[in-house]
Amino acid sequence: MNRLNVLLIDDEPERVQALKEALHSLGHHVVCQLPNTTHLNKRVEDTHPDIVIIDMDSPNRDTLESMSTMSKNNPRPIVFFAEQQNDRKTMSDAINAGVSAYISDGLQPDRVKAIMDTAIAHFDAHSSLRAELEKAKTQLADRKVIERAKGMLMKHQGCDEKQAFETLRKLAMDRGQKLPDVAQSVIDVLELTNGLSK
Amino acid sequence: MSAPLTLEKNNLKLGFVALLDCAPLVVAREKGFFKKHGLNVVLCKESSWASIRDKVSFSLYDGAHMLAPMPLASTLGLNGNKTPMLTALALSQNGTAITLSLEFYTLLSKSIADWKDTSSVGAEFKKQVKNSKVKPVIATVYPYSNHHYLLRYWLEQQGINAETDVQLIAAPPTHMIPSLSNGAIDGYCVGEPWNSLALIQQIGGLLTTGHEIWGAHMEKVLGVTQEWANAHPNSHKALVNALYEACQWAEDSANKEELFQLLALPPYLDQAATQLANYTPPLAMEQHFAGKHVNVPDPKQGEFLLGQMLDCGQLSDTDNPADFATISRTVYRQDLFQKWVS
């Protein structure tokens, strides 16, 4: 029987739903978890996952990696996917798609391959959708603010549009603010410091 | 003057984590040190050390702001994919501390006359730990880091068993302050600004600093893969020189105000930086970006870190301590630093 316990840690509701359904249809049991939890350690102990799939951008990755080394009492050490899997191509695809995965010690890596491929496909599909989704959700006025902040960040940071958008998104996550509000504050800060440096 | 070197690559991507000691990277970009050395650098903010390691390992980034033990752990394959890495420049020294919840700190304060008297602080802390009805919970961020080793080292020094007397857990830096104030944890050992921020917000008290525990030690480094270093010797040299100059700038007290203005820019430390500009913690963190020995990636310190890894069970007993010197020399490239920076 190939049924595995999968713990999915992700804060993108659309992606969680789609990936959960896909993994269910492969016959796996999926437990979902929003990443903004303070009790990740306990959650991992309780669910005994065979595999954890987590958004590459989640700060909880370090927590997961610590769990296997912090205490000898942690029952099922979770190891980074690559430790058992010498498939550099899959790893590289996963990192590019923004997926990271941890599998419990002793699990055969080949049992995980199909799960990884599914996760990578869903993360890839979602990342091209994300900007579109964001656009559809925001009002025209907000969209203009976001576009302007993106433009200023691209100029100031020398980065591309995708990275500027990611920067805004991460700031919004860190501050717990909405994207248009973060965009406005980025504009304010960068306008104020115009001429400060360079 | 010698002819300028031809750089193998001008456009670089470097990863960083939003901590106070990412300052040299921010300064090098904002004050034009990268440009001066012919480099166009995009700085990419990461939320975890794990992602820093992976993106450097898999060549998404040319290099990164790394925890001092990280290139070593990656070279040994201790965490994830085994990728030989090296550093030719230490970016900072010290800057880690242990902060306690206000409740734990206040109770401890009753029996401590002088917080600078480290042996009595340790002894009283031990008493309070042993008397606690529930094991005190202490958090760190990442297993292959000074903050993790420092905490274990200090606990052991006090005769406190890290496995049985306390509960060590891991949490992301951004969760530390809320967890400390809501009682989920009793203390943490992390890098700046997370200690100073708890002190400024008056939700924690400073137990001791990394500098008190170990003396001066290498904290963050510029990490690249050995493969990248071999393929880009001239770009690597330019990068090291640009960052070295940025380190000098960041250390200069005349630039302090501007440094914090730069750090507060998105996407660096964001608003947190503005709170720190005029704050002096009660125990000196001794965090430095430049000065005697500060920027040298010293293989002796690498050997010390290997010893720490061994002590907390991250290296297997079969790893031969006699090889420590050899391994450390391949990772902490004092020779490159001395050749390039003069």
Side-chain angles (χ1 to χ4, degrees):
Chain A
M1 185 60 195
N2 263 332
R3 181 186 158 97
L4 296 175
N5 257 337
V6 183
L7 175 62
L8 184 57
I9 304 172
D10 189 7
D11 72 342
E12 299 271 340
E14 295 93 351
R15 188 165 63 193
V16 167
Q17 198 50 39
L19 184 53
K20 189 178 174 181
E21 280 165 19
L23 293 174
H24 272 158
S25 69
L26 287 176
H28 301 298
H29 177 64
V30 185
V31 179
C32 299
Q33 177 73 54
L34 293 176
N36 56 355
T37 170
T38 44
H39 301 292
L40 184 66
N41 297 33
K42 195 164 179 323
R43 188 68 167 166
V44 171
E45 275 175 38
D46 291 349
T47 54
H48 278 221
D50 298 298
I51 172 166
V52 182
I53 295 193
I54 178 169
D55 180 355
M56 187 106 190
D57 281 338
S58 168
N60 280 305
R61 287 196 64 201
D62 284 348
T63 309
L64 280 174
E65 297 204 1
S66 298
M67 286 187 69
S68 55
T69 58
M70 285 295 281
S71 165
K72 295 185 178 84
N73 300 326
N74 280 328
R76 291 172 62 115
I78 302 277
V79 296
F80 187 52
F81 182 57
E83 258 177 67
Q84 296 197 347
Q85 180 85 0
N86 284 322
D87 184 352
R88 245 188 115 78
K89 172 79 173 65
T90 303
M91 276 305 304
S92 177
D93 289 350
I95 289 168
N96 276 300
V99 183
S100 61
Y102 297 87
I103 61 181
S104 72
D105 218 4
L107 185 70
Q108 289 301 312
D110 56 333
R111 298 184 63 195
V112 179
K113 180 82 165 90
I115 294 181
M116 283 303 286
D117 289 343
T118 307
I120 290 167
H122 276 82
F123 270 65
D124 270 340
H126 187 79
S127 84
S128 45
L129 266 179
R130 183 151 61 197
E132 290 303 315
L133 276 170
E134 203 60 54
K135 230 183 217 174
K137 274 194 291 188
T138 45
Q139 302 292 320
L140 187 62
D142 288 343
R143 228 183 287 166
K144 279 185 181 160
V145 174
I146 293 169
E147 287 301 316
R148 174 131 189 268
K150 252 178 15 185
M152 290 178 80
L153 272 173
M154 284 162 69
K155 189 157 174 262
H156 179 251
Q157 289 293 307
C159 64
D160 58 22
E161 191 177 351
K162 186 166 173 275
Q163 206 200 350
F165 181 69
E166 281 303 306
T167 298
L168 288 177
R169 210 174 63 84
K170 283 182 189 171
L171 281 169
M173 267 162 47
D174 289 348
R175 295 187 192 170
Q177 285 181 345
K178 288 199 163 60
L179 211 53
D181 299 335
V182 169
Q184 187 56 54
S185 89
V186 164
I187 293 169
D188 294 344
V189 170
L190 291 182
E191 267 180 348
L192 199 71
T193 52
N194 231 354
L196 172 77
S197 53
K198 301 269 160 62
Chain B
M1 229 181 100
S2 55
L5 295 166
T6 312
L7 302 183
E8 299 85 5
K9 193 174 179 186
N10 299 85
N11 297 323
L12 304 181
K13 267 191 175 179
L14 301 180
F16 73 98
V17 171
L19 293 165
L20 202 52
D21 50 26
C22 74
L25 284 81
V26 172
V27 167
R29 185 158 203 293
E30 299 298 327
K31 298 301 292 177
F33 293 111
F34 286 140
K35 282 230 166 67
K36 182 186 156 192
H37 289 273
L39 298 169
N40 263 321
V41 175
V42 176
L43 298 180
C44 308
K45 184 175 180 170
E46 286 298 332
S47 316
S48 70
W49 292 111
S51 290
I52 289 272
R53 173 203 61 213
D54 293 343
K55 291 186 179 176
V56 172
S57 295
F58 285 84
S59 309
L60 270 73
Y61 295 159
D62 297 282
H65 167 231
M66 284 188 185
L67 297 157
M70 183 171 261
L72 193 54
S74 188
T75 300
L76 294 170
L78 296 183
N79 51 348
N81 211 57
K82 184 170 179 163
T83 306
M85 289 189 186
L86 62 86
T87 175
L89 180 74
L91 296 170
S92 71
Q93 194 178 59
N94 313 325
T96 299
I98 305 177
T99 295
L100 298 175
S101 70
L102 216 48
E103 193 187 350
F104 204 98
Y105 183 83
T106 310
L107 195 61
L108 191 59
S109 297
K110 288 178 184 157
S111 46
I112 288 174
D114 178 9
W115 283 92
K116 290 187 171 107
D117 176 2
T118 49
S119 62
S120 94
V121 169
E124 293 302 326
F125 181 82
K126 182 184 175 181
K127 264 190 224 163
Q128 193 164 317
V129 166
K130 301 265 180 187
N131 289 337
S132 294
K133 286 198 188 76
V134 283
K135 281 195 239 175
V137 180
I138 310 179
T140 58
V141 179
Y142 189 68
Y144 305 94
S145 66
N146 284 344
H147 53 250
H148 181 206
Y149 303 138
L150 276 162
L151 177 64
R152 282 183 178 266
Y153 182 97
W154 189 80
L155 290 172
E156 192 182 331
Q157 241 187 354
Q158 314 314 320
I160 298 166
N161 187 317
E163 305 290 335
T164 54
D165 293 334
V166 290
Q167 190 192 352
L168 298 190
I169 65 151
T174 46
H175 292 190
M176 292 292 183
I177 288 182
S179 301
L180 201 64
S181 65
N182 71 19
I185 58 175
D186 300 291
Y188 55 67
C189 183
V190 292
E192 285 289 87
W194 300 105
N195 297 289
S196 289
L197 287 178
L199 299 170
I200 292 167
Q201 293 166 27
Q202 301 187 320
I203 59 128
L206 196 57
L207 175 67
T208 187
T209 68
H211 182 257
E212 281 288 350
I213 299 170
W214 277 353
H217 58 275
M218 176 163 65
E219 174 54 36
K220 296 298 186 310
V221 298
L222 168 69
V224 298
T225 64
Q226 284 186 19
E227 196 183 345
W228 187 91
N230 290 339
H232 307 92
N234 296 344
S235 296
H236 191 195
K237 181 186 174 187
L239 188 56
V240 165
N241 277 297
L243 284 168
Y244 180 74
E245 287 171 29
C247 285
Q248 312 297 314
W249 190 95
E251 182 69 18
D252 187 343
S253 57
N255 298 325
K256 192 175 170 189
E257 196 182 327
E258 190 181 349
L259 174 64
F260 281 98
Q261 283 173 355
L262 296 178
L263 286 171
L265 292 173
Y268 309 132
L269 265 67
D270 201 16
Q271 293 146 340
T274 47
Q275 298 179 50
L276 298 166
N278 298 308
Y279 180 72
T280 311
L283 301 171
M285 305 273 179
E286 299 292 350
Q287 185 167 35
H288 297 293
F289 301 111
K292 202 175 177 215
H293 305 313
V294 170
N295 303 109
V296 187
D298 183 355
K300 282 272 176 270
Q301 294 207 36
E303 287 179 50
F304 175 76
L305 290 172
L306 280 162
Q308 298 304 305
M309 291 171 173
L310 193 64
D311 284 352
C312 66
Q314 292 177 343
L315 291 178
S316 68
D317 297 334
T318 51
D319 291 303
N320 182 4
D323 290 339
F324 279 14
T326 318
I327 298 164
S328 192
R329 269 201 309 275
T330 65
V331 175
Y332 301 95
R333 297 293 301 273
Q334 187 172 11
D335 57 319
L336 290 180
F337 175 83
Q338 282 163 347
K339 193 165 83 179
W340 288 344
V341 178
S342 50

